[in-house]
Amino acid sequence: MSVKTPRQYYDEVLGALQDHHKAFNRYIPLIASENVPSPAVREALTTDFGNRYAEGWVGERVYAGCEWIDKVESICIDLEKRLFRAEFVDPRPISGVVSNLVVYTAFTEPGDTIMALPITCGGHITYGRKNLGGTAGAVTGLEVEYLPLDYEELNIDVDKTAQRLMKLVEDGKAPKLVIFGGSVFPFPHPVEELAGVFHDAGTMIHYDSAHVSGLIAGGKFQDPLREGVDTVTVSTHKTFFGPQHGTVLSWDKYAEPIKKATLPGLVSNHHLHALAGVAIASAEMLQFGEAYAEQVIKNSKALGQALYERGFKVLAEHKGFTESHILLIDITKYGDGGSVEKQLEKAGIIINRNLLPWDVKEGRHYMNPGGIRLGTAELTRLGMKETEMVEVAELMKRIVVDGDPPEKVQGDAAELRSGFEKVQYCFENATKAYEYVKIR
Ligand SMILES: Cc1ncc(COP(=O)(O)O)c(C=O)c1O
């Protein structure tokens, strides 16, 4: 058996990258946690910033050579302060997960109780219990109590939350931290309604805006810092304009513990090429964010309606399906989330399977759940509007409801995409959205 040469491996990797780009030129991307950055952001990612260290705070680095890094990072901080109207911004955490870890590290001790949505109800793995391997339990040693979800409203139940909190206080387990937000986040959470009771119980209020950061920056979702939260974490690449990175937003009074938790706690290099990308993306957000966020929400409502009319059980119909980029669909009439995901992928329609809140009780597993989750942020960034959402719904219906072979639909999906090749809501877009850029 012949062993491949280093050059063959090298060529294979570069070939796979090119094939990935070719495929994304055809795909209808509907993963709610993904987006496509502008050419300027991609340019930043290729720069020498990605090879440097800048430990410390702007102007107080412990490495030489940081003059332009300081300039970019201070612009990034200023822009994020403006976008989120935050007193304090730490843009160094390298992802949403690390941003949540910064908050846990700064404000909790192992053994403390926190409250958050369970993963089955849209909570993220970073809020998970120890037995599930979740970050809060397994990494930080926190005890996780669940926030109750109203299944009809697809939102946190205010009365039941207040009752559960009182019981925890009575039992001497007053939570140190509560986390609003999640990975299935169609409606603004009742932060304002619950901020008083949590603060009265001595609980810090954290808001994980990973999914909705771009909608908040665009002024089209809730405004957590005005509704009483103490800390907010950001993923910069879901509804925000990318690239993959994190950020913690807060008030000046919490600046020092957050800075210390980030460094020396959780980063050494902080992916400076990505940070430069976030600065560019933030400038784009400031200029184009409002129009973009408005269109994202219009698109997800239109997609929800069009799918519903074609036989899909899109949840929360009585509330217009969503107020964000996310739709949650009960797919059990047509199979399970895993098989539907695979069928759609064969046609170039990229979605993800998702647990429904009641799945585990009904014996379904996360590999074959009863739901699928869709997000409209990336299609919106490519310039699609409500008319195209109806076309996307029709393509999905042909496969899932009519049972057409995906191969028959693939060409039509690619044709729809071919009219939307460039990133919109940005200053410059000479390079196509998924063009492979060769600099060898
Ligand atoms: C609610 C929530 N928080 C945090 C994260 C983690 O973000 P990142 O991928 O930037 O680490 C995710 C990722 O999907 C998420 O959905």
Side-chain angles (χ1 to χ4, degrees), residues 230-374:
D230 299 301
T231 51
V232 178
T233 46
V234 174
S235 281
T236 52
H237 49 272
K238 300 179 194 289
T239 50
F240 208 83
F241 287 163
Q244 293 183 334
H245 199 75
T247 283
V248 179
L249 316 170
S250 189
W251 303 96
D252 281 337
K253 63 181 172 183
Y254 297 125
E256 287 315 311
I258 291 169
K259 283 163 78 170
K260 192 169 160 205
T262 302
L263 185 110
L266 287 150
V267 300
S268 178
N269 86 74
H270 53 285
H271 297 190
L272 297 161
H273 55 325
L275 189 122
V278 174
I280 291 167
S282 299
E284 294 168 347
M285 247 313 146
L286 204 54
Q287 182 74 24
F288 307 103
E290 190 179 347
Y292 155 80
E294 192 173 321
Q295 192 61 49
V296 168
I297 296 165
K298 279 187 190 164
N299 281 354
S300 43
K301 283 176 173 292
L303 182 60
Q305 183 65 34
L307 287 167
Y308 187 79
E309 286 167 6
R310 284 163 179 75
F312 286 83
K313 191 169 175 191
V314 188
L315 300 188
E317 184 239 339
H318 68 294
K319 299 166 74 176
F321 310 107
T322 183
E323 291 295 332
S324 76
H325 61 305
I326 287 183
L327 295 166
L328 188 61
I329 299 172
D330 179 341
I331 207 75
T332 48
K333 198 168 149 196
Y334 305 108
D336 66 75
S339 59
V340 168
E341 177 194 294
K342 287 212 164 68
Q343 285 298 97
L344 290 169
E345 185 180 25
K346 285 187 200 152
I349 300 170
I350 308 299
I351 60 116
N352 71 271
R353 69 192 78 183
N354 213 95
L355 282 170
L356 301 171
W358 48 89
D359 265 354
V360 173
K361 279 194 197 117
E362 294 185 3
R364 284 188 287 267
H365 187 250
Y366 74 94
M367 286 306 285
N368 300 96
I372 57 172
R373 184 187 70 164
L374 311 180

Side-chain angles (χ1 to χ4, degrees), residues 26 43 66 88 107 142 185 192 219 225 255 280 360 375 378 384:
R26 299 191 311 268
E43 191 171 314
C66 295
F88 171 74
F107 301 110
L142 297 168
F185 201 177
E192 208 159 19
L225 287 168
I280 291 167
V360 173
E378 190 161 351
M384 289 196 187

Side-chain angles (χ1 to χ4, degrees), residues 33 95-98 100 124 126-127 181-183 208 210-211 235 237-238 245 373:
S33 52
S95 68
V97 166
V98 172
N100 280 342
H124 186 248
T126 39
Y127 329 149
S183 306
D208 179 353
H211 262 273
S235 281
H237 49 272
K238 300 179 194 289
H245 199 75
R373 184 187 70 164

Side-chain angles (χ1 to χ4, degrees), residues 150 172 289 291 385 399:
D150 182 324
K385 298 221 160 76
I399 296 166

Side-chain angles (χ1 to χ4, degrees), residues 30 38 46 53 78 85 101 121 133 162 168 203 208 268 283 311 316 326-327 339 423 440:
L30 284 161
S38 69
T46 67
Y53 275 87
D78 286 350
R85 291 197 291 147
L101 261 171
C121 293
L168 286 170
T203 305
D208 179 353
S268 178
I326 287 183
L327 295 166
S339 59
V423 171
R440 278 172 272 162

